[in-house]
Amino acid sequence: LLERCDRESKWCMSQERVKAHAEELRDSAEVSDVTIVLNHWRRPAENLLLQLQAAISGVAREVWVCLFGSPYEKEYESAVADIRLRHPELSGKIKVVRSDVDFGVYGRFFLASAAKTRFVYIVDDDVAFPVSIVSQYLERMASMPGVWGHAGHARSAEAENAKWIVRPRKPALVDYANAAWFLQTSWIAGAFLREPPSSRLTGEDIHLSYIVRRVLGLETRVVGWRRDRHPYSKYTLGMTDVTTLTPSMFSLRSFIVRALAARGPVMRQPPALDALAFVETADQAEAIASTLEGCAEQKCRAALCDIQSQHLLRAGTFRMTLVFSGLQQLEERLRIEAAAFAVCTRLSTPSCAYIPHELCGAICEDMQFAEVSSFNLQVGHRLGAPSPTTASSLAALAADALEASAGLFSSLKLAHLLVPNEDSHMRRMVLQAADYHSVANRPRHRFSVTEVALDVCIPSEGRMPEPERV
């Protein structure tokens, strides 16, 4: 943009400030440029001192210290002053960002998006990283682009299979990393901030990996650090009894995962699903439940009955649920969810409902985690606008539906998609997303798409026409 401006207008680079900005952009393209972002709130100031000493001794260009609404701001500033006195030749790397406002767990990501370096390393106040950490992650990023960390979670529908993976010897894929994240700066504005978080209290780690995986197709990996012999790499950080890992937070995180699961790959290993039906009205949803009941009692013939019987004969299972736009009014939406729950639990073999378990110790045993039994695409909810009134706003809504549907399909192990034979904007976006999924995936990862009359159940002695393949 600035190059074209310079070529086409003599005024563009006439101001020194604009010239300096252009130079910054050129510098930010350097592969080795990294900004470390440290966030401190309540843990001991000694932690900041030790982290800063390690951070400025490495190859990072700058180290930003975030003090957002901290009651210990003076103690942290003293730690920064101490480091500047000890290492005057490196003190220019340190930048302190203060605010009376506590921006919460997302604040450091918002700030990091303004970094002028190609990469950022965002670190919690309880992570003792070595001096060579930036160099190590640059090597990892060069061979396998994606979000990198040292510890992360792998959720599972079976509680016993949920894992917390810490510093493995070899890179391990996880659903999301915890406590520290190394990533490309542009991914924060291009992906992380693409849609607002479900909650600003927690879940920033979940949101980052989910949205980078959905928008950019990049995974999150964790790996242990190689030891270096630098004297500032050997340190231990202090802890406090103040933690955000409470039963309330763990429960809230499960509901965040359920909401995100309807829009993209928040879990890398979700349970298999034999059939998914897109519906737009409660009548359509209830008709599907009624048809499945008729299939079980052999009272009607329908394309859905054929699909069900084929799966039961071949594998002995038939798991099915519903997906809907979320544009419906509350009463209509509750009816759809009720019908979907019946389809997923009572009319599936076995139930398709699952809990996205996160490893959290003994407190998980009696936790009422969110259960996934249907998928609400939440179309338009993140746009924060009323019903569309112009062609462009309608297009934005359609684009959101397309992206959410494509994200959902990429996250499912799905065999069949059923769509109503009545045309609509949302139906077109769902079908377009299914087409993109087919193009982007190998045959064994594709699903069939069947157009059916969702409100018709023909008596078993009648003749059921062949369903139309889309």
Side-chain angles (χ1 to χ4, degrees):
L1 175 67
L2 287 172
E3 288 176 354
R4 291 200 63 178
C5 183
D6 187 30
R7 287 197 306 269
E8 299 175 21
S9 172
K10 66 178 182 179
W11 297 106
C12 196
M13 294 294 177
S14 62
Q15 187 176 352
E16 288 300 321
R17 184 178 180 184
V18 179
K19 287 182 180 179
H21 178 53
E23 193 64 32
E24 287 174 353
L25 291 176
R26 280 191 287 269
D27 291 344
S28 68
E30 291 295 322
V31 173
S32 60
D33 269 357
V34 179
T35 298
I36 296 178
V37 180
L38 305 176
N39 186 75
H40 281 258
W41 187 57
R42 296 200 65 168
R43 287 200 170 98
E46 179 72 10
N47 286 18
L48 175 58
L49 188 147
L50 294 171
Q51 281 186 326
L52 263 179
Q53 194 162 242
I56 64 173
S57 299
V59 299
R61 185 205 283 189
E62 291 186 342
V63 181
W64 294 1
V65 179
C66 303
L67 305 177
F68 296 153
S70 172
Y72 301 101
E73 182 178 305
K74 290 184 178 179
E75 289 86 342
Y76 293 140
E77 289 181 337
S78 295
V80 172
D82 191 355
I83 288 295
R84 282 176 166 155
L85 286 174
R86 293 187 195 182
H87 306 280
E89 75 284 2
L90 298 174
S91 64
K93 286 187 174 184
I94 304 172
K95 312 295 180 184
V96 180
V97 184
R98 307 172 184 83
S99 174
D100 292 336
V101 178
D102 180 4
F103 294 108
V105 294
Y106 284 86
R108 52 197 164 169
F109 288 91
F110 298 152
L111 178 68
S113 68
K116 298 171 184 177
T117 54
R118 183 172 181 181
F119 297 102
V120 289
Y121 181 43
I122 304 169
V123 195
D124 274 0
D125 53 7
D126 58 352
V127 177
F129 52 85
V131 169
S132 62
I133 186 61
V134 166
S135 298
Q136 293 186 40
Y137 278 139
L138 285 172
E139 290 179 18
R140 299 291 184 185
M141 187 70 82
S143 60
M144 287 185 286
V147 178
W148 283 91
H150 68 278
H153 279 273
R155 286 183 178 261
S156 175
E158 293 78 35
E160 63 274 14
N161 292 333
K163 299 177 182 178
W164 187 46
I165 303 172
V166 186
R167 297 180 187 175
R169 290 188 176 182
K170 296 182 179 180
L173 288 166
V174 292
D175 290 333
Y176 44 88
N178 298 115
W181 306 266
F182 188 92
L183 67 152
Q184 194 163 309
T185 308
S186 61
W187 298 348
I188 302 176
F192 185 80
L193 300 178
R194 189 181 181 88
E195 58 184 49
S198 302
S199 168
R200 295 188 183 273
L201 286 177
T202 185
E204 79 288 3
D205 49 352
I206 301 171
H207 183 81
L208 173 65
S209 292
Y210 144 79
I211 201 73
V212 167
R213 189 178 295 119
R214 194 191 83 183
V215 175
L216 303 176
L218 297 173
E219 291 290 351
T220 297
R221 294 176 175 86
V222 296
V223 69
W225 305 313
R226 296 192 303 272
R227 295 181 180 179
D228 61 47
R229 297 183 178 181
H230 199 289
Y232 295 149
S233 293
K234 299 177 181 180
Y235 59 98
T236 302
L237 300 182
M239 302 295 288
T240 67
D241 57 357
V242 178
T243 178
T244 59
L245 302 179
T246 62
S248 176
M249 286 298 179
F250 276 117
S251 179
L252 176 58
R253 286 167 68 85
S254 75
F255 281 83
I256 292 172
V257 169
R258 182 172 72 178
L260 296 180
R263 292 177 59 88
V266 68
M267 285 178 62
R268 295 189 61 258
Q269 299 296 332
L273 195 62
D274 298 310
L276 179 68
F278 171 69
V279 298
E280 298 202 72
T281 67
D283 288 343
Q284 290 177 344
E286 290 162 357
I288 288 179
S290 178
T291 298
L292 283 174
E293 289 176 340
C295 297
E297 299 171 2
Q298 298 184 339
K299 290 183 177 180
C300 68
R301 291 191 61 205
L304 181 54
C305 297
D306 292 339
I307 293 172
Q308 180 193 51
S309 62
Q310 289 169 11
H311 275 275
L312 289 173
L313 285 172
R314 184 172 66 249
T317 64
F318 182 71
R319 301 179 181 90
M320 178 179 176
T321 191
L322 310 182
V323 57
F324 54 99
S325 68
L327 291 170
Q328 298 82 4
Q329 294 297 316
L330 178 60
E331 183 178 352
E332 182 97 354
R333 192 164 66 244
L334 291 176
R335 285 176 59 195
I336 292 175
E337 290 178 349
F341 183 78
V343 169
C344 178
T345 56
R346 182 168 56 85
L347 299 172
S348 287
T349 308
S351 170
C352 81
Y354 69 93
I355 292 173
H357 292 282
E358 180 181 38
L359 187 67
C360 56
I363 64 172
C364 287
E365 295 177 2
D366 299 320
M367 192 75 68
Q368 292 180 314
F369 284 134
E371 184 178 64
V372 179
S373 59
S374 62
F375 298 107
N376 178 352
L377 296 174
Q378 305 152 67
V379 173
H381 289 199
R382 286 161 172 77
L383 299 177
S387 300
T389 56
T390 65
S392 58
S393 59
L394 181 60
L397 205 64
D400 190 46
L402 175 61
E403 189 171 337
S405 300
L408 173 62
F409 296 153
S410 71
S411 71
L412 296 177
K413 300 174 183 177
L414 181 63
H416 298 279
L417 173 67
L418 304 177
V419 295
N421 57 4
E422 299 174 11
D423 189 28
S424 71
H425 290 295
M426 290 299 108
R427 175 183 175 276
R428 293 177 196 173
M429 294 304 101
V430 170
L431 289 176
Q432 186 66 65
D435 183 56
Y436 288 154
H437 182 84
S438 178
V439 170
N441 288 274
R442 297 177 180 178
R444 65 189 182 94
H445 293 142
R446 298 171 186 170
F447 51 80
S448 68
V449 181
T450 304
E451 185 179 278
V452 294
L454 297 181
D455 57 349
V456 176
C457 177
I458 296 180
S460 57
E461 62 272 12
R463 182 177 178 82
M464 182 68 189
E466 288 294 320
E468 181 181 348
R469 297 287 177 178
V470 178

